[in-house]
Amino acid sequence: MARNSQKPELVLMQGNEAVAAGALAAGCDYFAGYPITPSTEIAEILAEELPKRGHTFIQMEDEIASIAAIIGASLAGAKSLTATSGPGFSLMQEGIGFAKITETPCVVVNVQRSGPSTGLPTSPAQGEIMQSRWGSHGDSPAIVLYPASVKESYALTIRAFNLAEKYRTCVILLMDEVIGHMREAISLPDISEIKIINRIKPTVPANWYKHYDENQKYLSPLASYGEGYRFHVTGLAHDQHGFPTNKPTEAGAMMERLEKKIVHNIRDLVQIESYMMEDANIAIFAAGIMARAAKAAVKIARAEGLKVGLLRPLTIWPFPDDAVRKMLKNVEYVVVPELNQGQFLHELRRLVKSTTDSKLIGFQRVNGTLITPTEILQKIKDVL
Amino acid sequence: MGKVSQRVVHNFLRHDKKFPHVWCAGCSNGTVLGTIIRAIAEQNLDRNNITMVSGIGCSSRMPVYIDLNTLHSLHGRAIAFATGIKTYKPGMKVIVVTGDGDCTAIGGNHLIHAARRNLDLTVIVINNNIYGMTGGQYSPTTPFEAKATTSPFGNFDTPFDICDLAIGAGATFVGRSTAFHTIELQKMIVDAMEHKGFSIIDVVSACPVIYGRMNKKGGPAEMMMAMRDNSILNTAAEKLPPEKVEGKIIRGILKKVDHPEYCERYAELCTKVKEMQHE
Ligand SMILES: Cc1ncc(C[n+]2csc(CCOP(=O)(O)OP(=O)(O)O)c2C)c(N)n1
Ligand code: SF4
């Protein structure tokens, strides 16, 4: 399944297979995980592919251990990955916060299933829009990507690794169960054409090295254990060298840095698809599989002469505030189909200017089934 | 056993950056830190190639003071983080420093699985029978009837024997010593680090400020003397009738066997898989 060949070719692939292939293309050389449907294929494929390349696959005793292991490996220089679903994602939250405060690159894939708890295994749901942003305790900005097709699962997995390396943080790839298990024919790009970003390595002598060096773009070099830098890593608030601190100025600077790293680079991070939005007076805002249903609804609506468009975030966090504000200004209504109890709707409300949010039309389902294009279209007709 | 000068010990500390330390006067943590440094110095290892990983607790504050690659991780997860480092860079020497609560309560699952895998880590448990950092709650090694802030009427819970636990889980090197027997402990740490496979040392330690006070164990010196007087080497204990050994802490290397190590087996697997591909 993994493509090392030079020529682009058409292959039939599942979303989960595409994630595994994307990870390998991105240079992933470490996977630690614990089985859970609907994510398990990612682990199964990498259990076969990583040893072939002399790289590490390890099945850990639980998801807490899995996130710990990928952070440890990353500190030793790995491009590391774990994959899970809701229950495991909940267990990983403390570790995700640790990766963020210690600015350690790693990628976590969450192929979502119905929750809370064991929920409806393993029916589709989009229940972790907010958990992927706020799941770990304390304030910690998040980078979360959300593919809507098998091809995009491949591309966004590579992007997740690139952003993790560039911004030194834990990047989350949120998947829909349906996309994880859906098969589509995709052409994989030539390996040589894929843009790969690797962490910046320090060039200074060991005693000049600061593990969290400041610079204009909040991007700093990262040494690995074993390279002679002998740095310290802690989940305590720390100074630029990584040593714990109680000083409000240093602790505050650390928090500010975590925040600014994302805010200052928002243009690089946010990705959206705007479909038929130029003249639209009704917009649909949706991600992942719901955006696919929405796009189909837009096509039918257009055929019927209705001016409907779609705004789809590929990066859901940081939230595409500017694009959403523009959309809210230009249309009469925004329909928000989502497989949860209004998590995107909640975030959109933050950006509505007037005191009323009557522009926003929620459309939610949490019974383990999808919302169909016809149903979305009907919803649009209902508000007109 | 090599002698290591005070200057060498000083040279291993991040003395210009991280002192004074956070530990109470008389705490065993400092003694164990000194002993670990002597054990490392004695082996003449390249310190760029040693990583010390800890969890959370008083004992787990150790890595910040020592000039190695250091990782102060999450409560209970030191062994899991160490597993990531070791399985990615098998050539790295990885030492885990952990407390009794960190290692056997919240981290118990990682302990038994790393032992089962026979992953080449050296785990040093500073076993003070209490949760020191959080102010003295009972831990899985608090003795029966001992006082803790959460066992005000005496501990009714049954404690673990860390060595038995590790032996049962498949650890291939298991030893016990105390913060009093630093020369013995130094040698044991060297043996454990040289051992290929999962090694663990249960270091009987004193938290005089909390555990000692609550249980009227006297000051640091009395607690050290108790380690001396209430413990016996396993080789000596074997020669005594059981009633003379009853209630004593058994010191010494309690298990040492050769068994294929995890990373070595994984490397063999990779070679085999590659050969299969070429067939
Ligand atoms: C997930 C989590 N739960 C609880 C705590 C609070 N906590 C910090 S240290 C500690 C116990 C430490 O005891 P031990 O590991 O025996 O080390 P000692 O302080 O005695 O050296 C606890 C419960 C925490 N930091 N994280
Ligand atoms: S509370 Fe106990 S374990 Fe913690 S530093 Fe003080 S004496 Fe040591």
Side-chain angles (χ1 to χ4, degrees):
Chain A
M1 60 102 259
R3 301 292 134 190
N4 272 331
S5 62
Q6 292 303 301
K7 271 186 230 134
E9 54 183 303
L10 214 57
V11 283
L12 191 64
M13 252 194 200
Q14 244 187 4
N16 283 348
E17 284 178 76
V19 169
L24 292 169
C28 168
D29 56 2
Y30 192 94
F31 180 95
Y34 189 81
I36 185 166
T37 315
S39 77
T40 309
E41 292 85 359
I42 300 170
E44 287 170 344
I45 292 164
L46 293 173
E48 198 175 327
E49 295 301 324
L50 286 170
K52 285 185 193 164
R53 294 159 168 78
H55 298 325
T56 314
F57 170 90
I58 184 167
Q59 183 169 311
M60 296 300 288
E61 51 274 18
D62 58 30
E63 288 86 349
I64 301 174
S66 304
I67 183 82
I70 69 163
I71 297 168
S74 178
L75 287 168
K79 278 188 160 182
S80 60
L81 172 74
T82 188
T84 188
S85 187
F89 193 57
S90 290
L91 287 181
M92 287 181 186
Q93 292 304 324
E94 192 191 11
I96 290 172
F98 187 86
K100 287 184 186 172
I101 197 174
T102 62
E103 304 190 43
T104 309
C106 59
V107 177
V108 174
V109 179
N110 173 9
V111 188
Q112 296 165 100
R113 59 188 237 183
S114 289
S117 189
T118 314
L120 273 172
T122 52
S123 306
Q126 302 183 312
E128 280 99 78
I129 308 295
M130 284 298 171
Q131 189 188 20
S132 65
R133 171 67 189 86
W134 300 106
S136 197
H137 59 280
D139 291 294
S140 58
I143 302 176
V144 183
L145 312 183
Y146 207 139
S149 68
V150 172
K151 186 170 177 142
E152 217 169 72
S153 302
Y154 181 85
L156 289 192
T157 302
I158 296 172
R159 181 162 152 84
F161 274 96
N162 284 347
L163 296 179
E165 292 285 311
K166 182 169 179 184
Y167 292 101
R168 286 182 54 176
T169 190
C170 173
V171 174
I172 293 163
L173 184 77
L174 267 195
M175 296 272 295
D176 285 311
E177 184 277 337
V178 193
I179 291 168
H181 282 161
M182 175 165 59
R183 287 182 193 280
E184 289 184 288
I186 66 167
S187 65
L188 296 181
D190 191 314
I191 285 282
S192 63
E193 281 163 18
I194 298 172
K195 190 181 166 222
I196 301 294
I197 300 177
N198 291 316
R199 58 192 71 174
I200 311 163
K201 301 303 283 181
T203 49
V204 296
N207 51 352
W208 291 8
Y209 176 68
K210 286 181 185 164
H211 195 60
Y212 309 94
D213 199 9
E214 289 293 347
N215 61 44
Q216 276 185 324
K217 287 189 155 177
Y218 298 91
L219 308 176
S220 59
L222 176 58
S224 303
Y225 287 151
E227 293 176 339
Y229 289 92
R230 295 203 302 274
F231 54 90
H232 183 64
V233 172
T234 177
L236 290 166
H238 42 257
D239 62 19
Q240 289 190 7
H241 287 96
F243 292 124
T245 178
N246 289 327
K247 288 191 192 127
T249 46
E250 286 175 345
M254 180 200 76
M255 291 298 286
E256 193 177 312
R257 177 192 154 77
L258 293 181
E259 159 100 47
K260 288 214 174 133
K261 191 163 72 169
I262 306 295
V263 175
H264 273 236
N265 295 293
I266 209 120
R267 288 229 179 96
D268 185 34
L269 293 168
V270 165
Q271 266 191 342
I272 50 155
E273 185 199 4
S274 193
Y275 179 69
M276 303 245 163
M277 284 295 288
E278 296 74 26
D279 61 342
N281 53 20
I282 294 195
I284 308 173
F285 183 88
I289 192 65
M290 278 300 91
R292 301 240 337 209
K295 202 178 226 178
V298 170
K299 284 178 187 157
I300 311 169
R302 288 277 168 176
E304 294 181 13
L306 299 170
K307 288 186 173 170
V308 181
L310 166 70
L311 185 68
R312 172 173 80 92
L314 283 78
T315 302
I316 64 164
W317 302 111
F319 202 67
D321 283 13
D322 288 348
V324 168
R325 280 205 189 91
K326 190 171 150 214
M327 166 185 79
L328 285 165
K329 208 172 82 198
N330 292 342
V331 301
E332 274 173 67
Y333 294 105
V334 180
V335 177
V336 192
E338 51 187 332
L339 302 177
N340 56 53
Q341 291 181 319
Q343 300 188 23
F344 272 135
L345 187 69
H346 181 83
E347 192 62 17
L348 289 167
R349 279 202 186 113
R350 178 175 63 81
L351 299 167
V352 175
K353 271 233 173 82
S354 68
T355 47
T356 79
D357 61 6
S358 54
K359 257 194 183 186
L360 299 176
I361 315 287
F363 190 0
Q364 297 136 20
R365 183 162 293 166
V366 285
N367 64 2
T369 64
L370 300 173
I371 301 174
T372 65
T374 333
E375 288 174 313
I376 296 174
L377 188 64
Q378 191 54 50
K379 191 81 175 176
I380 290 167
K381 288 179 178 165
D382 290 348
V383 301
L384 281 177
Chain B
M1 216 208 60
K3 267 224 152 100
V4 176
S5 77
Q6 200 57 32
R7 198 178 49 79
V8 172
V9 174
H10 194 247
N11 180 259
F12 264 90
L13 295 173
R14 287 172 170 150
H15 51 86
D16 51 340
K17 294 180 183 130
K18 283 334 294 172
F19 284 79
H21 59 69
V22 296
W23 296 319
C24 311
C27 177
S28 291
N29 289 336
T31 318
V32 178
L33 169 60
T35 311
I36 292 173
I37 289 177
R38 288 187 177 85
I40 291 171
E42 183 191 327
Q43 296 173 76
N44 270 324
L45 298 169
D46 172 9
R47 66 174 102 169
N48 290 324
N49 205 31
I50 309 173
T51 303
M52 181 183 277
V53 185
S54 69
I56 298 289
C58 295
S59 40
S60 290
R61 283 295 185 109
M62 186 180 293
V64 74
Y65 303 120
I66 184 167
D67 185 16
L68 301 170
N69 305 293
T70 51
L71 172 58
H72 176 221
S73 73
L74 292 171
H75 191 33
R77 315 303 167 201
I79 291 176
F81 278 88
T83 299
I85 297 168
K86 185 70 188 181
T87 53
Y88 186 70
K89 270 199 180 150
M92 178 76 76
K93 282 258 173 217
V94 183
I95 303 169
V96 173
V97 173
T98 171
D100 40 304
D102 197 64
C103 183
T104 67
I106 189 165
N109 201 25
H110 312 307
L111 166 67
I112 59 175
H113 286 280
R116 169 180 68 77
R117 292 184 186 111
N118 196 30
L119 183 67
D120 187 18
L121 306 174
T122 298
V123 178
I124 297 169
V125 192
I126 304 188
N127 181 1
N128 57 10
N129 311 107
I130 199 85
Y131 287 179
M133 176 122 273
T134 41
Q137 301 74 27
Y138 68 89
S139 88
T141 67
T142 302
F144 187 60
E145 295 189 326
K147 287 252 167 61
T149 60
T150 46
S151 62
F153 310 110
N155 183 23
F156 62 91
D157 218 343
T158 313
F160 266 142
D161 178 316
I162 296 178
C163 293
D164 284 353
L165 178 67
I167 290 170
T172 50
F173 182 109
V174 179
R176 184 184 289 116
S177 187
T178 84
F180 174 81
H181 300 88
T182 50
I183 293 174
E184 170 188 294
L185 178 61
Q186 182 181 330
K187 167 125 191 16
M188 201 181 282
I189 294 171
V190 173
D191 288 348
M193 287 180 71
E194 284 173 354
H195 175 76
K196 193 87 203 154
F198 187 84
S199 55
I200 180 165
I201 303 175
D202 177 13
V203 185
V204 175
S205 303
C207 162
V209 171
I210 297 178
Y211 184 81
R213 255 185 219 162
M214 256 190 293
N215 290 285
K216 305 201 164 50
K217 297 284 182 195
E222 285 76 16
M223 290 184 84
M224 292 289 252
M225 255 124 72
M227 291 175 201
R228 180 192 65 189
D229 300 337
N230 298 340
S231 70
I232 182 167
L233 264 178
N234 57 341
T235 43
E238 277 163 14
K239 295 178 193 134
L240 294 174
E243 60 275 14
K244 291 231 166 176
V245 179
E246 172 106 35
K248 293 228 184 236
I249 296 161
I250 308 290
R251 307 192 324 269
I253 295 170
L254 308 180
K255 179 181 177 186
K256 183 170 171 14
V257 292
D258 284 331
H259 186 73
E261 193 271 333
Y262 184 90
C263 294
E264 285 184 351
R265 272 185 308 167
Y266 188 81
E268 280 166 23
L269 173 86
C270 291
T271 314
K272 210 169 78 191
V273 171
K274 270 186 212 155
E275 279 166 10
M276 272 161 56
Q277 269 181 294
H278 293 182
E279 272 162 20

